[in-house]
Amino acid sequence: MTMNICFTETPSRKTVKPARTVFLNNTGQDVTLKFVTAPDLLLSAYTISNGVSAAIDRIQLGPAEFFSCHSQNVAIPGDCTAVLSVANSVLTMTISSSSQSHQTVIG
């Protein structure tokens, strides 16, 4: 299972709720996950977080703040990995399931 969640600089009240999600910051810059009720989490460039289970209100990348561009709140299934990347002023969170991330090569 793979899912993309996009974030733009357009303000939104929609949240993204991870469940024991490990984040990989692949943006090349430090990012700060801004939660609804939990303390902020600074994730340095090219580092991996511990499992996160707090609702994300927005993500700060440099001076810019990015908000979910989905029309509703999004829940991430438990024990997934989220890779953060940025291109063309859009921050993308690519979610992949831990159980689906293993590949077997036969040959």
Side-chain angles (χ1 to χ4, degrees):
M1 185 253 348
T2 300
M3 168 176 67
N4 286 331
I5 302 170
C6 67
F7 292 78
T8 64
E9 292 184 66
T10 303
S12 156
R13 305 288 277 160
K14 302 306 176 190
T15 63
V16 174
K17 176 66 170 81
R20 299 175 311 279
T21 303
V22 173
F23 285 84
L24 167 61
N25 176 6
N26 202 26
T27 65
Q29 303 177 55
D30 294 351
V31 299
T32 303
L33 302 180
K34 304 271 190 168
F35 301 108
V36 175
T37 57
D40 296 349
L41 174 65
L42 174 65
L43 189 55
S44 298
Y46 304 112
T47 60
I48 299 173
S49 74
N50 291 324
V52 173
S53 295
I56 299 169
D57 179 55
R58 63 193 183 281
I59 299 174
Q60 184 173 346
L61 176 67
E65 291 195 329
F66 291 83
F67 302 83
S68 173
C69 60
H70 288 264
S71 60
Q72 58 191 19
N73 294 333
V74 178
I76 299 172
D79 298 314
C80 287
T81 301
V83 178
L84 299 172
S85 59
V86 66
N88 300 322
S89 300
V90 175
L91 179 68
T92 302
M93 182 185 292
T94 303
I95 311 298
S96 58
S97 170
S98 299
S99 62
Q100 298 289 331
S101 63
H102 296 85
Q103 294 182 346
T104 304
V105 178
I106 301 173

PDB file of all heavy atoms in Angstrom, residues 25-57:
ATOM      1  N   ASN A  25      12.783  12.418   6.740  1.00  0.00           N
ATOM      2  CA  ASN A  25      12.820  13.750   6.152  1.00  0.00           C
ATOM      3  C   ASN A  25      13.790  13.735   4.975  1.00  0.00           C
ATOM      4  O   ASN A  25      14.998  13.758   5.156  1.00  0.00           O
ATOM      5  CB  ASN A  25      13.252  14.787   7.187  1.00  0.00           C
ATOM      6  CG  ASN A  25      13.384  16.165   6.584  1.00  0.00           C
ATOM      7  OD1 ASN A  25      13.061  16.389   5.423  1.00  0.00           O
ATOM      8  ND2 ASN A  25      13.866  17.092   7.377  1.00  0.00           N
ATOM      9  N   ASN A  26      13.250  13.698   3.771  1.00  0.00           N
ATOM     10  CA  ASN A  26      14.056  13.643   2.551  1.00  0.00           C
ATOM     11  C   ASN A  26      13.986  14.966   1.792  1.00  0.00           C
ATOM     12  O   ASN A  26      14.168  14.996   0.583  1.00  0.00           O
ATOM     13  CB  ASN A  26      13.560  12.487   1.671  1.00  0.00           C
ATOM     14  CG  ASN A  26      14.615  12.017   0.699  1.00  0.00           C
ATOM     15  OD1 ASN A  26      15.797  12.166   0.945  1.00  0.00           O
ATOM     16  ND2 ASN A  26      14.183  11.450  -0.413  1.00  0.00           N
ATOM     17  N   THR A  27      13.709  16.086   2.514  1.00  0.00           N
ATOM     18  CA  THR A  27      13.535  17.388   1.862  1.00  0.00           C
ATOM     19  C   THR A  27      14.851  18.114   1.654  1.00  0.00           C
ATOM     20  O   THR A  27      14.907  19.066   0.883  1.00  0.00           O
ATOM     21  CB  THR A  27      12.632  18.311   2.697  1.00  0.00           C
ATOM     22  OG1 THR A  27      13.276  18.604   3.943  1.00  0.00           O
ATOM     23  CG2 THR A  27      11.264  17.692   2.936  1.00  0.00           C
ATOM     24  N   GLY A  28      15.889  17.723   2.365  1.00  0.00           N
ATOM     25  CA  GLY A  28      17.154  18.440   2.293  1.00  0.00           C
ATOM     26  C   GLY A  28      17.237  19.607   3.267  1.00  0.00           C
ATOM     27  O   GLY A  28      18.250  20.286   3.343  1.00  0.00           O
ATOM     28  N   GLN A  29      16.152  19.854   4.012  1.00  0.00           N
ATOM     29  CA  GLN A  29      16.104  20.917   5.016  1.00  0.00           C
ATOM     30  C   GLN A  29      15.469  20.367   6.285  1.00  0.00           C
ATOM     31  O   GLN A  29      14.774  19.359   6.243  1.00  0.00           O
ATOM     32  CB  GLN A  29      15.250  22.083   4.536  1.00  0.00           C
ATOM     33  CG  GLN A  29      15.663  22.721   3.227  1.00  0.00           C
ATOM     34  CD  GLN A  29      14.682  23.809   2.846  1.00  0.00           C
ATOM     35  OE1 GLN A  29      14.423  24.727   3.620  1.00  0.00           O
ATOM     36  NE2 GLN A  29      14.122  23.705   1.653  1.00  0.00           N
ATOM     37  N   ASP A  30      15.688  21.063   7.394  1.00  0.00           N
ATOM     38  CA  ASP A  30      14.998  20.687   8.625  1.00  0.00           C
ATOM     39  C   ASP A  30      13.508  20.957   8.472  1.00  0.00           C
ATOM     40  O   ASP A  30      13.112  21.949   7.844  1.00  0.00           O
ATOM     41  CB  ASP A  30      15.526  21.500   9.812  1.00  0.00           C
ATOM     42  CG  ASP A  30      16.976  21.190  10.140  1.00  0.00           C
ATOM     43  OD1 ASP A  30      17.539  20.235   9.564  1.00  0.00           O
ATOM     44  OD2 ASP A  30      17.548  21.917  10.972  1.00  0.00           O
ATOM     45  N   VAL A  31      12.686  20.076   9.011  1.00  0.00           N
ATOM     46  CA  VAL A  31      11.241  20.299   9.056  1.00  0.00           C
ATOM     47  C   VAL A  31      10.776  20.198  10.501  1.00  0.00           C
ATOM     48  O   VAL A  31      11.397  19.518  11.321  1.00  0.00           O
ATOM     49  CB  VAL A  31      10.431  19.298   8.190  1.00  0.00           C
ATOM     50  CG1 VAL A  31      10.795  19.386   6.739  1.00  0.00           C
ATOM     51  CG2 VAL A  31      10.563  17.893   8.694  1.00  0.00           C
ATOM     52  N   THR A  32       9.695  20.900  10.792  1.00  0.00           N
ATOM     53  CA  THR A  32       9.077  20.819  12.109  1.00  0.00           C
ATOM     54  C   THR A  32       7.648  20.350  11.926  1.00  0.00           C
ATOM     55  O   THR A  32       6.868  20.997  11.218  1.00  0.00           O
ATOM     56  CB  THR A  32       9.109  22.176  12.833  1.00  0.00           C
ATOM     57  OG1 THR A  32      10.462  22.623  12.931  1.00  0.00           O
ATOM     58  CG2 THR A  32       8.522  22.058  14.230  1.00  0.00           C
ATOM     59  N   LEU A  33       7.322  19.217  12.532  1.00  0.00           N
ATOM     60  CA  LEU A  33       5.942  18.736  12.540  1.00  0.00           C
ATOM     61  C   LEU A  33       5.226  19.498  13.647  1.00  0.00           C
ATOM     62  O   LEU A  33       5.637  19.445  14.806  1.00  0.00           O
ATOM     63  CB  LEU A  33       5.889  17.235  12.788  1.00  0.00           C
ATOM     64  CG  LEU A  33       6.639  16.342  11.798  1.00  0.00           C
ATOM     65  CD1 LEU A  33       6.491  14.881  12.185  1.00  0.00           C
ATOM     66  CD2 LEU A  33       6.173  16.570  10.371  1.00  0.00           C
ATOM     67  N   LYS A  34       4.164  20.219  13.285  1.00  0.00           N
ATOM     68  CA  LYS A  34       3.389  21.007  14.239  1.00  0.00           C
ATOM     69  C   LYS A  34       2.108  20.231  14.530  1.00  0.00           C
ATOM     70  O   LYS A  34       1.281  20.033  13.644  1.00  0.00           O
ATOM     71  CB  LYS A  34       3.044  22.378  13.646  1.00  0.00           C
ATOM     72  CG  LYS A  34       4.242  23.180  13.182  1.00  0.00           C
ATOM     73  CD  LYS A  34       4.765  24.021  14.300  1.00  0.00           C
ATOM     74  CE  LYS A  34       5.803  25.017  13.775  1.00  0.00           C
ATOM     75  NZ  LYS A  34       6.106  26.018  14.759  1.00  0.00           N
ATOM     76  N   PHE A  35       1.989  19.777  15.770  1.00  0.00           N
ATOM     77  CA  PHE A  35       0.860  18.934  16.157  1.00  0.00           C
ATOM     78  C   PHE A  35      -0.282  19.752  16.732  1.00  0.00           C
ATOM     79  O   PHE A  35      -0.093  20.873  17.203  1.00  0.00           O
ATOM     80  CB  PHE A  35       1.322  17.886  17.175  1.00  0.00           C
ATOM     81  CG  PHE A  35       2.407  16.989  16.654  1.00  0.00           C
ATOM     82  CD1 PHE A  35       3.702  17.105  17.121  1.00  0.00           C
ATOM     83  CD2 PHE A  35       2.142  16.034  15.686  1.00  0.00           C
ATOM     84  CE1 PHE A  35       4.716  16.287  16.642  1.00  0.00           C
ATOM     85  CE2 PHE A  35       3.138  15.204  15.197  1.00  0.00           C
ATOM     86  CZ  PHE A  35       4.432  15.331  15.680  1.00  0.00           C
ATOM     87  N   VAL A  36      -1.463  19.163  16.746  1.00  0.00           N
ATOM     88  CA  VAL A  36      -2.646  19.828  17.283  1.00  0.00           C
ATOM     89  C   VAL A  36      -2.500  20.023  18.787  1.00  0.00           C
ATOM     90  O   VAL A  36      -2.716  21.120  19.296  1.00  0.00           O
ATOM     91  CB  VAL A  36      -3.926  19.024  16.948  1.00  0.00           C
ATOM     92  CG1 VAL A  36      -5.151  19.638  17.616  1.00  0.00           C
ATOM     93  CG2 VAL A  36      -4.121  18.943  15.439  1.00  0.00           C
ATOM     94  N   THR A  37      -2.107  18.970  19.513  1.00  0.00           N
ATOM     95  CA  THR A  37      -2.040  19.082  20.978  1.00  0.00           C
ATOM     96  C   THR A  37      -0.689  18.684  21.569  1.00  0.00           C
ATOM     97  O   THR A  37      -0.443  18.946  22.739  1.00  0.00           O
ATOM     98  CB  THR A  37      -3.127  18.212  21.645  1.00  0.00           C
ATOM     99  OG1 THR A  37      -2.959  16.865  21.209  1.00  0.00           O
ATOM    100  CG2 THR A  37      -4.517  18.690  21.281  1.00  0.00           C
ATOM    101  N   ALA A  38       0.196  18.060  20.795  1.00  0.00           N
ATOM    102  CA  ALA A  38       1.497  17.622  21.315  1.00  0.00           C
ATOM    103  C   ALA A  38       2.569  18.666  20.996  1.00  0.00           C
ATOM    104  O   ALA A  38       2.380  19.503  20.116  1.00  0.00           O
ATOM    105  CB  ALA A  38       1.871  16.277  20.693  1.00  0.00           C
ATOM    106  N   PRO A  39       3.700  18.622  21.710  1.00  0.00           N
ATOM    107  CA  PRO A  39       4.803  19.542  21.403  1.00  0.00           C
ATOM    108  C   PRO A  39       5.333  19.309  19.981  1.00  0.00           C
ATOM    109  O   PRO A  39       5.285  18.197  19.461  1.00  0.00           O
ATOM    110  CB  PRO A  39       5.873  19.183  22.438  1.00  0.00           C
ATOM    111  CG  PRO A  39       5.152  18.457  23.523  1.00  0.00           C
ATOM    112  CD  PRO A  39       3.994  17.774  22.861  1.00  0.00           C
ATOM    113  N   ASP A  40       5.847  20.383  19.367  1.00  0.00           N
ATOM    114  CA  ASP A  40       6.410  20.288  18.020  1.00  0.00           C
ATOM    115  C   ASP A  40       7.563  19.279  17.978  1.00  0.00           C
ATOM    116  O   ASP A  40       8.231  19.055  18.987  1.00  0.00           O
ATOM    117  CB  ASP A  40       6.961  21.646  17.571  1.00  0.00           C
ATOM    118  CG  ASP A  40       5.880  22.708  17.439  1.00  0.00           C
ATOM    119  OD1 ASP A  40       4.693  22.358  17.480  1.00  0.00           O
ATOM    120  OD2 ASP A  40       6.246  23.888  17.288  1.00  0.00           O
ATOM    121  N   LEU A  41       7.789  18.702  16.803  1.00  0.00           N
ATOM    122  CA  LEU A  41       8.892  17.759  16.607  1.00  0.00           C
ATOM    123  C   LEU A  41       9.766  18.250  15.463  1.00  0.00           C
ATOM    124  O   LEU A  41       9.315  18.328  14.319  1.00  0.00           O
ATOM    125  CB  LEU A  41       8.359  16.360  16.274  1.00  0.00           C
ATOM    126  CG  LEU A  41       9.409  15.307  15.906  1.00  0.00           C
ATOM    127  CD1 LEU A  41      10.333  15.007  17.086  1.00  0.00           C
ATOM    128  CD2 LEU A  41       8.741  14.038  15.410  1.00  0.00           C
ATOM    129  N   LEU A  42      11.014  18.611  15.782  1.00  0.00           N
ATOM    130  CA  LEU A  42      11.990  19.008  14.776  1.00  0.00           C
ATOM    131  C   LEU A  42      12.635  17.758  14.208  1.00  0.00           C
ATOM    132  O   LEU A  42      13.129  16.914  14.950  1.00  0.00           O
ATOM    133  CB  LEU A  42      13.058  19.922  15.380  1.00  0.00           C
ATOM    134  CG  LEU A  42      14.221  20.284  14.449  1.00  0.00           C
ATOM    135  CD1 LEU A  42      13.733  21.117  13.266  1.00  0.00           C
ATOM    136  CD2 LEU A  42      15.298  21.036  15.219  1.00  0.00           C
ATOM    137  N   LEU A  43      12.610  17.649  12.896  1.00  0.00           N
ATOM    138  CA  LEU A  43      13.205  16.503  12.213  1.00  0.00           C
ATOM    139  C   LEU A  43      14.257  17.056  11.252  1.00  0.00           C
ATOM    140  O   LEU A  43      13.920  17.671  10.244  1.00  0.00           O
ATOM    141  CB  LEU A  43      12.121  15.716  11.475  1.00  0.00           C
ATOM    142  CG  LEU A  43      12.489  14.372  10.874  1.00  0.00           C
ATOM    143  CD1 LEU A  43      13.081  13.433  11.917  1.00  0.00           C
ATOM    144  CD2 LEU A  43      11.277  13.734  10.221  1.00  0.00           C
ATOM    145  N   SER A  44      15.521  16.860  11.594  1.00  0.00           N
ATOM    146  CA  SER A  44      16.615  17.376  10.778  1.00  0.00           C
ATOM    147  C   SER A  44      16.618  16.721   9.402  1.00  0.00           C
ATOM    148  O   SER A  44      16.067  15.634   9.214  1.00  0.00           O
ATOM    149  CB  SER A  44      17.958  17.115  11.467  1.00  0.00           C
ATOM    150  OG  SER A  44      18.003  17.788  12.705  1.00  0.00           O
ATOM    151  N   ALA A  45      17.261  17.394   8.441  1.00  0.00           N
ATOM    152  CA  ALA A  45      17.334  16.882   7.074  1.00  0.00           C
ATOM    153  C   ALA A  45      17.943  15.482   7.068  1.00  0.00           C
ATOM    154  O   ALA A  45      18.922  15.219   7.769  1.00  0.00           O
ATOM    155  CB  ALA A  45      18.170  17.824   6.217  1.00  0.00           C
ATOM    156  N   TYR A  46      17.347  14.599   6.293  1.00  0.00           N
ATOM    157  CA  TYR A  46      17.817  13.233   6.071  1.00  0.00           C
ATOM    158  C   TYR A  46      17.923  12.414   7.356  1.00  0.00           C
ATOM    159  O   TYR A  46      18.813  11.586   7.504  1.00  0.00           O
ATOM    160  CB  TYR A  46      19.157  13.243   5.316  1.00  0.00           C
ATOM    161  CG  TYR A  46      19.058  13.992   4.018  1.00  0.00           C
ATOM    162  CD1 TYR A  46      19.722  15.202   3.837  1.00  0.00           C
ATOM    163  CD2 TYR A  46      18.253  13.528   2.979  1.00  0.00           C
ATOM    164  CE1 TYR A  46      19.610  15.915   2.650  1.00  0.00           C
ATOM    165  CE2 TYR A  46      18.133  14.230   1.791  1.00  0.00           C
ATOM    166  CZ  TYR A  46      18.817  15.427   1.635  1.00  0.00           C
ATOM    167  OH  TYR A  46      18.691  16.128   0.466  1.00  0.00           O
ATOM    168  N   THR A  47      17.014  12.647   8.285  1.00  0.00           N
ATOM    169  CA  THR A  47      16.967  11.840   9.502  1.00  0.00           C
ATOM    170  C   THR A  47      15.631  11.126   9.598  1.00  0.00           C
ATOM    171  O   THR A  47      14.678  11.443   8.884  1.00  0.00           O
ATOM    172  CB  THR A  47      17.192  12.682  10.777  1.00  0.00           C
ATOM    173  OG1 THR A  47      16.178  13.682  10.855  1.00  0.00           O
ATOM    174  CG2 THR A  47      18.571  13.331  10.775  1.00  0.00           C
ATOM    175  N   ILE A  48      15.568  10.170  10.515  1.00  0.00           N
ATOM    176  CA  ILE A  48      14.383   9.339  10.713  1.00  0.00           C
ATOM    177  C   ILE A  48      13.874   9.552  12.132  1.00  0.00           C
ATOM    178  O   ILE A  48      14.662   9.596  13.080  1.00  0.00           O
ATOM    179  CB  ILE A  48      14.726   7.849  10.490  1.00  0.00           C
ATOM    180  CG1 ILE A  48      15.211   7.642   9.057  1.00  0.00           C
ATOM    181  CG2 ILE A  48      13.542   6.960  10.784  1.00  0.00           C
ATOM    182  CD1 ILE A  48      15.738   6.251   8.780  1.00  0.00           C
ATOM    183  N   SER A  49      12.565   9.652  12.285  1.00  0.00           N
ATOM    184  CA  SER A  49      11.949   9.838  13.596  1.00  0.00           C
ATOM    185  C   SER A  49      11.625   8.486  14.228  1.00  0.00           C
ATOM    186  O   SER A  49      11.640   7.450  13.567  1.00  0.00           O
ATOM    187  CB  SER A  49      10.654  10.643  13.470  1.00  0.00           C
ATOM    188  OG  SER A  49       9.623   9.833  12.909  1.00  0.00           O
ATOM    189  N   ASN A  50      11.271   8.548  15.493  1.00  0.00           N
ATOM    190  CA  ASN A  50      10.629   7.412  16.148  1.00  0.00           C
ATOM    191  C   ASN A  50       9.180   7.390  15.680  1.00  0.00           C
ATOM    192  O   ASN A  50       8.737   8.277  14.964  1.00  0.00           O
ATOM    193  CB  ASN A  50      10.688   7.578  17.675  1.00  0.00           C
ATOM    194  CG  ASN A  50      12.099   7.444  18.204  1.00  0.00           C
ATOM    195  OD1 ASN A  50      12.888   6.652  17.699  1.00  0.00           O
ATOM    196  ND2 ASN A  50      12.426   8.242  19.207  1.00  0.00           N
ATOM    197  N   GLY A  51       8.421   6.393  16.122  1.00  0.00           N
ATOM    198  CA  GLY A  51       7.008   6.317  15.760  1.00  0.00           C
ATOM    199  C   GLY A  51       6.234   7.518  16.281  1.00  0.00           C
ATOM    200  O   GLY A  51       6.363   7.881  17.447  1.00  0.00           O
ATOM    201  N   VAL A  52       5.443   8.138  15.423  1.00  0.00           N
ATOM    202  CA  VAL A  52       4.656   9.326  15.769  1.00  0.00           C
ATOM    203  C   VAL A  52       3.175   8.975  15.721  1.00  0.00           C
ATOM    204  O   VAL A  52       2.726   8.333  14.770  1.00  0.00           O
ATOM    205  CB  VAL A  52       4.963  10.479  14.780  1.00  0.00           C
ATOM    206  CG1 VAL A  52       4.042  11.664  15.013  1.00  0.00           C
ATOM    207  CG2 VAL A  52       6.424  10.900  14.888  1.00  0.00           C
ATOM    208  N   SER A  53       2.428   9.401  16.756  1.00  0.00           N
ATOM    209  CA  SER A  53       0.996   9.100  16.817  1.00  0.00           C
ATOM    210  C   SER A  53       0.156  10.313  17.196  1.00  0.00           C
ATOM    211  O   SER A  53      -0.923  10.164  17.746  1.00  0.00           O
ATOM    212  CB  SER A  53       0.740   7.974  17.819  1.00  0.00           C
ATOM    213  OG  SER A  53       1.318   6.774  17.391  1.00  0.00           O
ATOM    214  N   ALA A  54       0.624  11.531  16.890  1.00  0.00           N
ATOM    215  CA  ALA A  54      -0.133  12.742  17.215  1.00  0.00           C
ATOM    216  C   ALA A  54      -0.601  13.416  15.929  1.00  0.00           C
ATOM    217  O   ALA A  54       0.101  13.400  14.921  1.00  0.00           O
ATOM    218  CB  ALA A  54       0.742  13.698  18.025  1.00  0.00           C
ATOM    219  N   ALA A  55      -1.789  14.006  15.970  1.00  0.00           N
ATOM    220  CA  ALA A  55      -2.365  14.655  14.790  1.00  0.00           C
ATOM    221  C   ALA A  55      -1.526  15.854  14.359  1.00  0.00           C
ATOM    222  O   ALA A  55      -1.217  16.738  15.155  1.00  0.00           O
ATOM    223  CB  ALA A  55      -3.797  15.090  15.071  1.00  0.00           C
ATOM    224  N   ILE A  56      -1.157  15.878  13.076  1.00  0.00           N
ATOM    225  CA  ILE A  56      -0.336  16.954  12.524  1.00  0.00           C
ATOM    226  C   ILE A  56      -1.252  18.045  11.977  1.00  0.00           C
ATOM    227  O   ILE A  56      -2.094  17.793  11.113  1.00  0.00           O
ATOM    228  CB  ILE A  56       0.580  16.412  11.404  1.00  0.00           C
ATOM    229  CG1 ILE A  56       1.512  15.345  11.969  1.00  0.00           C
ATOM    230  CG2 ILE A  56       1.363  17.548  10.750  1.00  0.00           C
ATOM    231  CD1 ILE A  56       2.267  14.559  10.902  1.00  0.00           C
ATOM    232  N   ASP A  57      -1.059  19.259  12.484  1.00  0.00           N
ATOM    233  CA  ASP A  57      -1.825  20.416  12.041  1.00  0.00           C
ATOM    234  C   ASP A  57      -1.194  21.029  10.793  1.00  0.00           C
ATOM    235  O   ASP A  57      -1.881  21.396   9.851  1.00  0.00           O
ATOM    236  CB  ASP A  57      -1.871  21.448  13.171  1.00  0.00           C
ATOM    237  CG  ASP A  57      -2.639  22.695  12.797  1.00  0.00           C
ATOM    238  OD1 ASP A  57      -3.804  22.564  12.395  1.00  0.00           O
ATOM    239  OD2 ASP A  57      -2.055  23.795  12.894  1.00  0.00           O
TER     240      ASP A  57
END
